């Protein structure tokens, strides 16, 4: 079976929580052989994130899927020497240590590219490898705050609001996988590897939008607007008769007109201010009242059915249970069940996009700590007696 467009590529995942591991998960989903490096004693801290079932970490089963695991201490000179052997066989290395850490261990980018001139080295940090903040601890929460996301999220009279999940990390991980693909394409042309300097901050800054441009050109700074948009209306979440919530969007003018006809107020369509999204947003109270009253008198199923029939845009506000049970999600295999030795069939997100010729797949779920150490080190030509010695000193596991 074709495993994906990256079949034959080897990736070393020397990163943890969360952007680097997600980047490597995506690369593995699309065929790359991923070698997961984790601390030989503490293990990877991702194993302790999220819920567990009978001691089995559930998030790990997804984020570490398609990865063989190797317990190896890179800070020990003997472990660094083993890592160099692995680098010599790799196409990509992903790491997220603080700037200067690899250099302190004798594993500088220059050294790694000397060992393997074709290597693509991805360095993920909070703020990048250079600049005044390079040495600061970097976490997604900080990027969500500094990017402008938190400032724009929440109710107008409430505090800046952070997401309840790893938004900045996830955006960065997806962006990093794209950067890897570009670097591998460049290597096809000239045979040379390169270093990718990836920060958590920059991808989510892009996702937040053109706020800095607006400030530079107009001197304006965005404000929190709850679930409303400054760019169009009606746009909000609305409670249904049966105590569910739905969200609607009217980014397109035609959709806005269909919504107001549906809820019984076609007269506002002829108002001059209705002709543009930004001017409709100035009348959000009126429009939300019309839409909210109509939705509040109907069940969620009735609302979704009526909006769909009218060609208007609506979606129910889902919980994880709703998502897992949704017929479209299941039929299109956005979520799939994967066999796992510990959990049996386990529901996971499928590979992130569909490719007609090289689709990728989930070959296996996240593995136990050090499950592949002996095999991987044997493949790297490390003498078994040396492996035993390193294991006795907790340099490998």
């Amino acid at each position: 079976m074709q495993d994906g467009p990256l079949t034959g590529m080897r990736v070393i995942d020397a990163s943890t929580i969360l952007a680097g591991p997600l980047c490597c998960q995506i690369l593995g989903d699309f065929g790359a052989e991923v070698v997961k490096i984790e601390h030989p004693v503490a293990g990877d801290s991702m194993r302790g994130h999220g819920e567990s079932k009978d001691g089995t970490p559930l998030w790990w089963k997804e984020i570490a899927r398609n990865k063989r695991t190797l317990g190896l201490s890179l800070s020990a000179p003997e472990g660094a020497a083993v890592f160099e052997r692995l680098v010599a066989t790799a196409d990509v290395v992903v790491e997220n240590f603080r700037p200067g850490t690899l250099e302190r261990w004798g594993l500088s980018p220059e050294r790694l590219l000397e060992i393997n001139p074709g290597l693509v080295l991805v360095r993920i940090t909070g703020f990048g490898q250079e600049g005044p903040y390079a040495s600061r601890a970097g976490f997604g929460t900080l990027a969500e705050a500094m990017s402008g996301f938190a400032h724009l999220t929440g109710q107008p009279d409430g505090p800046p609001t952070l997401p309840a999940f790893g938004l900045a990390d996830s955006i960065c991980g997806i962006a990093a996988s794209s950067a890897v693909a570009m670097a591998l394409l460049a290597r096809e042309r000239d045979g040379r590897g390169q270093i990718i300097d990836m920060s958590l901050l920059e991808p989510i800054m892009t996702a937040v939008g053109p706020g800095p441009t607006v400030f530079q050109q107009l001197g304006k700074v965005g404000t929190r607007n709850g679930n409303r948009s400054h760019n169009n209306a009606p746009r909000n979440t609305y409670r249904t008769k049966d105590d569910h919530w739905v969200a609607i969007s009217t980014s397109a003018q035609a959709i806005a007109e269909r919504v107001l006809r549906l809820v019984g107020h076609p007269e506002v369509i002829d108002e001059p201010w209705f002709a543009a999204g930004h001017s409709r947003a100035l009348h959000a109270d009126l429009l939300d009242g019309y839409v909210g009253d109509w939705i509040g008198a109907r069940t969620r199923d009735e609302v979704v059915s009526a909006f769909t029939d009218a060609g208007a845009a609506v979606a129910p506000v889902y919980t994880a249970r709703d998502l897992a049970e949704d017929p479209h999600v299941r039929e299109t295999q956005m979520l799939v069940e994967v066999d796992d030795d510990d959990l049996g069939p386990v529901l996971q997100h499928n590979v992130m996009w569909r490719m007609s010729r090289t689709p990728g797949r989930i070959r296996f779920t996240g593995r136990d700590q050090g499950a592949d150490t002996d095999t991987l080190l044997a493949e790297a030509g490390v003498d078994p007696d040396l492996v035993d010695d390193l294991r006795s000193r907790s340099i490998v596991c």
Side-chain angles (χ1 to χ4, degrees):
M1 180 182 290
Q2 169 60 257
D3 282 334
L6 298 180
T7 298
M9 297 289 177
R10 174 176 260 205
V11 175
I12 297 177
D13 179 3
S15 64
T16 189
I17 307 174
L18 164 67
L22 178 57
C23 170
C24 295
Q25 176 201 313
I26 295 169
L27 301 178
D29 285 351
F30 287 95
E33 176 208 354
V34 182
V35 177
K36 174 65 188 176
I37 305 290
E38 51 184 323
H39 192 276
V41 178
D44 192 289
S45 50
M46 277 299 303
R47 292 183 182 271
H49 267 57
E51 300 283 350
S52 296
K53 180 181 179 181
D54 299 328
T56 299
L58 300 181
W59 198 352
W60 178 260
K61 290 295 184 179
E62 178 167 319
I63 199 71
R65 70 191 188 195
N66 295 331
K67 302 178 184 180
R68 294 196 288 169
T69 63
L70 165 63
L72 179 66
S73 173
L74 304 188
S75 62
E78 301 91 336
V82 171
F83 185 71
E84 288 183 348
R85 290 201 190 195
L86 295 171
V87 168
T89 70
D91 298 282
V92 180
V93 170
V94 179
E95 63 95 2
N96 69 335
F97 301 105
R98 281 202 196 186
T101 301
L102 283 185
E103 290 83 349
R104 190 168 67 250
W105 294 339
L107 297 170
S108 67
E110 295 76 18
R111 172 59 180 159
L112 299 184
L113 287 169
E114 177 185 357
I115 295 168
N116 183 349
L119 182 70
V120 173
L121 174 62
V122 184
R123 311 196 75 182
I124 299 176
T125 57
F127 305 102
Q129 295 293 319
E130 299 177 348
Y133 302 157
S135 62
R136 289 186 180 181
F139 296 98
T141 298
L142 311 186
E144 289 147 9
M146 289 184 64
S147 65
F149 174 86
H151 172 73
L152 294 174
T153 304
Q155 296 301 318
D157 57 351
T161 302
L162 297 167
F165 55 93
L167 178 63
D169 276 276
S170 297
I171 295 173
C172 181
I174 296 167
S177 71
S178 176
V180 168
M182 294 181 195
L184 291 175
L185 178 61
R187 192 182 69 173
E188 286 293 306
R189 295 172 178 163
D190 60 18
R192 298 169 58 196
Q194 60 182 300
I195 302 164
I196 298 173
D197 182 358
M198 196 89 201
S199 77
L200 294 177
L201 182 57
E202 288 177 276
I204 191 171
M205 282 174 57
T206 299
V208 169
T213 304
V214 172
F215 170 72
Q216 186 259 340
Q217 291 292 313
L218 301 176
K220 294 182 178 180
V221 174
T223 57
R224 288 186 289 286
N225 203 28
N227 289 321
R228 290 177 173 176
S229 169
H230 293 290
N231 301 314
N232 65 81
R235 189 265 201 182
N236 213 324
T237 58
Y238 307 87
R239 191 192 296 269
T240 64
K241 179 181 178 180
D242 54 347
D243 205 30
H244 291 289
W245 291 86
V246 297
I248 73 168
S249 174
T250 58
S251 297
Q253 181 67 24
I255 298 295
E257 294 175 5
R258 291 171 192 168
V259 168
L260 269 298
R261 289 192 185 99
L262 174 64
V263 302
H265 288 278
E267 72 280 1
V268 298
I269 296 172
D270 295 326
E271 295 287 346
W273 53 262
F274 197 85
H278 69 274
S279 54
R280 291 200 310 273
L282 298 176
H283 295 79
D285 286 342
L286 175 69
L287 298 177
D288 273 347
Y290 289 157
V291 173
D293 288 346
W294 188 91
I295 288 176
R298 290 159 177 81
T299 67
R300 181 176 68 178
D301 289 347
E302 290 171 340
V303 171
V304 172
S305 178
F307 267 71
T308 302
D309 291 343
V314 67
V317 176
Y318 270 177
T319 66
R321 176 190 298 238
D322 295 323
L323 197 60
E325 295 175 350
D326 182 86
H328 179 84
V329 170
R330 297 306 289 264
E331 184 174 326
T332 59
Q333 296 191 314
M334 294 180 184
L335 296 172
V336 292
E337 288 189 348
V338 186
D339 287 333
D340 178 77
D341 291 340
D342 300 311
L343 300 170
V346 57
L347 192 66
Q348 294 191 353
H349 300 97
N350 203 348
V351 299
M352 201 170 290
W353 49 82
R354 310 292 181 263
M355 300 180 71
S356 63
R357 192 167 56 84
T358 55
R361 64 188 177 107
I362 303 170
R363 300 185 295 281
F364 53 89
T365 57
R367 294 167 63 75
D368 291 340
Q369 183 178 353
D372 304 287
T373 295
D374 290 332
T375 301
L376 287 165
L377 295 187
E379 291 173 359
V382 181
D383 184 90
D385 291 337
L386 176 57
V387 174
D388 290 341
D389 175 61
L390 296 176
R391 182 172 280 120
S392 71
R393 292 186 283 146
S394 297
I395 295 173
V396 303
C397 76

